[in-house]
Each structure stands twice: as C-alpha cells, then as structure tokens.
Amino acid sequence: QVQLQESGPGLVKASGTLSLACAVSGGSISNCNWWSWVRQSPGKGLEWIGQIYDCGGTDYNPSLKSRVTISVDKSKNHFSLRLSSVTAADTAVYYCARNLRQSYGMEIWGQGTTVTVSS
Amino acid sequence: VLTQSPGTLSLSPGERATLSCRASQSVSSTYLAWYQHKPGQAPRLLIFAASSRATGVPDRFSGSGSGTDFTLTINRLEPEDFAIYYCQCFSSPSMYTFGQGTNLEIK
C-alpha cells in the first residue's frame, strides 16, 4: 500500500526557506491524485498548507499563499514544500498526505517531521 | 470557520461520545470530514462526505449532519478511541479548514 515519508532539515533559520520532501512508496505519484501538506504548531490544532494535483494544479491556504510553493517531481516519485521568509510561528510538525479526492480530505499520511525555526 | 464543541469531553469506556462541528456558513456535506489524532501519530481520516466511513474505520464511528451542523458519534467507546478529533471542510476558494479540535479524554 502507499506510504509517505517526510524528509528535510529539522532546523531552519528565521527569514530563511523551509524545504521538505515527501517520498511516495508503494505507488506512483503520476496517477492523478491530490497531495497535501498540513502542519501542527506546538499546542495548536491542524493547519492545511496547500495541495497539488499531479496531473496539474495547486491550491494554497490564502494565509500562507504568498510564501508557499508545492511541487511534484515525478522522476523521484516525491512532492515538495517550500515555505519562504519563515519565522518562529512556522515551527511545527509538518505532515504530507494523499487526498482521497481534491475535496474529500486526506486518507494517507506520513508520520510527520518536526521543523524548528531558530532566531 | 469551523467551531467544534465541546473543547474537552470526559467519558468512560463503553459510553457514547457525541462531538459537534458547526460551520459559520453552509457547507456541502460532500466536503465535510472527521479525523482522529493521537499524540506522536499522524492524523487518521475517519469520515468523509459527512457520513461515509474511511477504509478500515470501525462501524462504531458514524457521522451525520448537513448545512452548518455536523456530528461525529462514537458508540461504545474503546480505550483506543481517546484522542483529539478534528472536523474539516473544503470550501471556496478551494481550501481546507480544520476545526480547533475536541479532546476526548478518559473520565
């Protein structure tokens, strides 16, 4: 079955760019699925960051849209998150996920990776 | 905006849990989902399209509702059901929003 695994630096300097990848195993990223990024800041709830359709298209959280880029690399069977101009408020556990459909929610999740923004 | 209530629900195993999710504007039932989240684990999709159980979810979990009011019911609580539950909707302009969560704790 499809499994997801996040990877990337656990520590990012303030004002820098956070870059994470989500490796997809047990399936192809080229089957016209939607793939999402979600985060949870310490002591807070879940926040959707954005999603990408591997057949074309992206949706972003308006509150983060100016700083977020989500992309797919089919040759590596992974998708990525870039979040620029980070601050301490971007410290969180970041999850990647595969959607059931564009709008039906996230059915398969990675285990999450913790990113801390340091000053 | 999705508002979940109560913030914390204290119940005993074997009891029934009723969790509420209220939207600030009408939401298509097709776009309403519920998740279970335990510390240190990934969230788990329980219910999609307001009332459809995701793969592998026990039938003691059920979802209902329409418009602005949605409910997740968990019958005969098992010890492993104690967790935080989030509702989520997909709405214009093509974005997901989560509720703030309900902490279901053991009484």
Side-chain angles (χ1 to χ4, degrees):
Chain A
Q1 71 278 21
V2 173
Q3 293 183 312
L4 307 179
Q5 179 66 58
E6 305 89 349
S7 62
L11 192 62
V12 180
K13 287 191 175 180
S15 77
T17 297
L18 179 159
S19 296
L20 297 175
C22 181
V24 179
S25 59
S28 172
I29 204 165
S30 302
N31 287 338
C32 291
N33 285 305
W34 285 88
W35 308 87
S36 284
W37 288 97
V38 175
R39 70 181 182 180
Q40 183 175 36
S41 300
K44 295 192 176 181
L46 300 172
E47 180 181 30
W48 177 75
I49 300 170
Q51 63 184 5
I52 188 164
Y53 186 49
D54 60 45
C55 288
T58 52
D59 297 317
Y60 295 125
N61 187 325
S63 69
L64 299 169
K65 186 174 184 176
S66 64
R67 300 193 291 129
V68 173
T69 302
I70 298 175
S71 59
V72 164
D73 187 332
K74 296 182 180 181
S75 67
K76 295 182 179 178
N77 214 40
H78 79 199
F79 63 106
S80 300
L81 168 70
R82 286 176 56 88
L83 180 66
S84 63
S85 304
V86 296
T87 68
D90 295 308
T91 293
V93 177
Y94 286 77
Y95 296 97
C96 61
R98 190 185 80 176
N99 293 23
L100 189 55
R101 290 186 187 178
Q102 180 188 18
S103 54
Y104 277 27
M106 295 92 198
E107 62 169 342
I108 300 173
W109 294 70
Q111 280 304 299
T113 188
T114 300
V115 179
T116 302
V117 177
S118 67
S119 55
Chain B
V1 176
L2 297 177
T3 302
Q4 293 186 238
S5 61
T8 299
L9 184 58
S10 300
L11 293 171
S12 300
E15 292 190 296
R16 172 186 293 178
T18 302
L19 287 66
S20 174
C21 176
R22 177 163 290 179
S24 57
Q25 17 187 356
S26 185
V27 171
S28 169
S29 298
T30 305
Y31 302 150
L32 197 288
W34 289 92
Y35 296 84
Q36 177 190 69
H37 194 197
K38 297 179 181 179
Q41 297 185 20
R44 176 192 182 193
L45 178 66
L46 297 174
I47 301 288
F48 65 94
S51 60
S52 297
R53 274 187 299 276
T55 303
V57 175
D59 61 7
R60 63 179 182 274
F61 291 89
S62 63
S64 63
S66 63
T68 59
D69 291 299
F70 298 88
T71 301
L72 174 70
T73 301
I74 312 171
N75 289 312
R76 304 178 308 277
L77 282 166
E78 298 284 347
E80 62 267 27
D81 297 336
F82 292 91
I84 298 176
Y85 290 84
Y86 294 94
C87 59
Q88 177 203 50
C89 73
F90 184 80
S91 59
S92 177
S94 294
M95 66 168 290
Y96 284 101
T97 303
F98 287 94
Q100 83 280 17
T102 290
N103 181 22
L104 176 60
E105 64 175 24
I106 299 177
K107 188 174 182 179

